[in-house]
């Protein structure tokens, strides 16, 4: 949220705000095999503040979402996200970043491995977190050491989902080494401790997830930037009835700018995911995404994104496809209008997990920068 366009630079105002209004039509609200559609209207305000204390920096922000449905008004909801980040620039070699966040969130139907056919309302949860990152050396140094800690707790509002309430403690250590002016290699180790609150029966998914990675990050002539990680992941469960998950891990985030008005973004990954099904262990997900953005004029932009996800759970295999098309036109220096279409499809060898959905959105968004 701190990369929001409503944040201003040091020599400008230190308080910014934006607001968006979206009219949305969905033909399958819950992404179920038997589709139910509706229209909704969402208001999304955001406020951000930036304050400098010499070389140090403090940011704080709020984002809200107020959504009302035309026919199914019992689905109306309000979401809030607040957060702050403090960057302590101790010296040219030592930098400390501290963050706090709290959010009320909605889980998009179909984004987990659970069936959507039993849903008659959205799944909501509260998530709070704190993070600390200590850096010795800078991104321009020959070598840099980075250590980070992240704490997060997730609590679900629905009593039927309390088996998913979890506390997460994650520790990461990384060493970066510059091999070229704009290219660095690195080694990274992560320990993530998932501590589930409900430990009764077969619902306890508490585990330790280990990542041992090597990688490279690059910036080639400001045309291609990216980060690639490759390594080994090992997930060990506290409960004996869940088997260890050991496999290959990789991730790729790459941006290619063939010219000043076009951008190609490629994302791919293979990682362990937490299960949303009670009594089931986690699973390995593979995902790939390609996004094309083209600026026809300084006012007109078109974006197309395709994402493919696949995973296996026991004898079940799911494949998800998501195609999104977005057309954005700047009405003025501070206001833009966009028209978006999104198609989603999940295929499965079990019919209760399969669905297709279409949505069309018309949005107005301020862009005070």
């Amino acid at each position: 949220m701190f990369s929001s366009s409503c944040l201003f630079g040091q020599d400008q105002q230190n308080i910014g705000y934006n607001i968006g209004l979206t009219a949305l039509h969905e033909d399958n609200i819950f992404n179920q095999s038997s589709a139910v559609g509706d229209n909704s209207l969402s208001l999304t305000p955001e406020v951000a503040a930036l304050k400098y204390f010499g070389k140090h920096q403090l940011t704080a922000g709020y984002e809200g979402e107020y959504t009302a449905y035309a026919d199914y008004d019992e689905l109306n909801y309000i979401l809030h996200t607040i957060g702050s980040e403090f960057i302590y620039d101790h010296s040219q070699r030592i930098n400390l970043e501290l963050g706090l966040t709290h959010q009320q969130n909605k889980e998009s139907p179909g984004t987990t491995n659970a069936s959507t056919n039993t849903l008659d309302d959205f799944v909501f949860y509260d998530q709070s977190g704190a993070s600390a990152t200590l850096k010795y050396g800078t991104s321009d140094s020959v070598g840099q050491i980075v250590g980070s800690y992240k704490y997060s707790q997730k609590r679900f509002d629905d009593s039927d989902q309390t088996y998913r309430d979890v506390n997460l403690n994650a520790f990461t250590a990384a060493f970066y080494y510059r091999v070229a002016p704009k290219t660095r290699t690195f080694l990274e180790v992560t320990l993530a401790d998932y501590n589930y609150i409900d430990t009764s029966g077969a619902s306890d998914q508490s585990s330790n997830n280990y990542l041992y990675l090597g990688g490279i990050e690059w910036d080639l002539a400001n045309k291609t930037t990216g980060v690639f990680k490759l390594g080994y992941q090992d997930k060990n469960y506290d409960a004996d009835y869940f088997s260890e998950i050991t496999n290959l891990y990789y991730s790729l985030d790459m941006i290619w700018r063939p010219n000043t008005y076009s951008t190609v973004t490629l994302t791919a990954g293979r990682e362990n995911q937490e299960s949303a099904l009670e009594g089931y262990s986690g699973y390995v997900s593979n995902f790939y995404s390609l996004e094309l953005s083209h600026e026809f004029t300084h006012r007109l932009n078109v974006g197309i994104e395709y994402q493919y996800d696949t995973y296996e759970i026991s004898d079940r295999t799911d494949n998800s496809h998501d195609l999104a098309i977005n057309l954005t036109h700047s009405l003025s220096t501070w206001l833009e209008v966009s028209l978006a279409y999104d198609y989603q499809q999940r295929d499965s060898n079990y019919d209760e997990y399969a669905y297709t959905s279409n949505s069309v959105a018309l949005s107005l968004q301020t862009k005070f920068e």
Side-chain angles (χ1 to χ4, degrees), residues 59 70 99 163 176 181 254 264-265 272 325 338 351:
T59 55
Y163 64 90
Y176 294 82
M254 187 179 73
V264 179
T265 303
N272 292 331
I325 303 173
S338 62
D351 293 340

Side-chain angles (χ1 to χ4, degrees), residues 18 35 55 66 103 127 153 174-175 231 300 303 309-310 338 347 353:
N18 274 316
K55 298 185 300 179
Y66 303 78
Q103 62 180 163
Q127 187 164 357
Q153 66 173 34
F175 173 71
L300 181 63
D309 297 81
T310 181
S338 62
D347 301 319
Y353 294 97

Side-chain angles (χ1 to χ4, degrees), residues 324-346:
I325 303 173
N326 185 279
L327 177 66
T328 302
H329 178 69
S330 295
L331 300 176
S332 68
T333 57
W334 61 272
L335 182 65
E336 65 183 22
V337 60
S338 62
L339 180 64
Y341 168 74
D342 186 53
Y343 171 79
Q344 296 182 40
Q345 175 181 323
R346 182 162 76 179

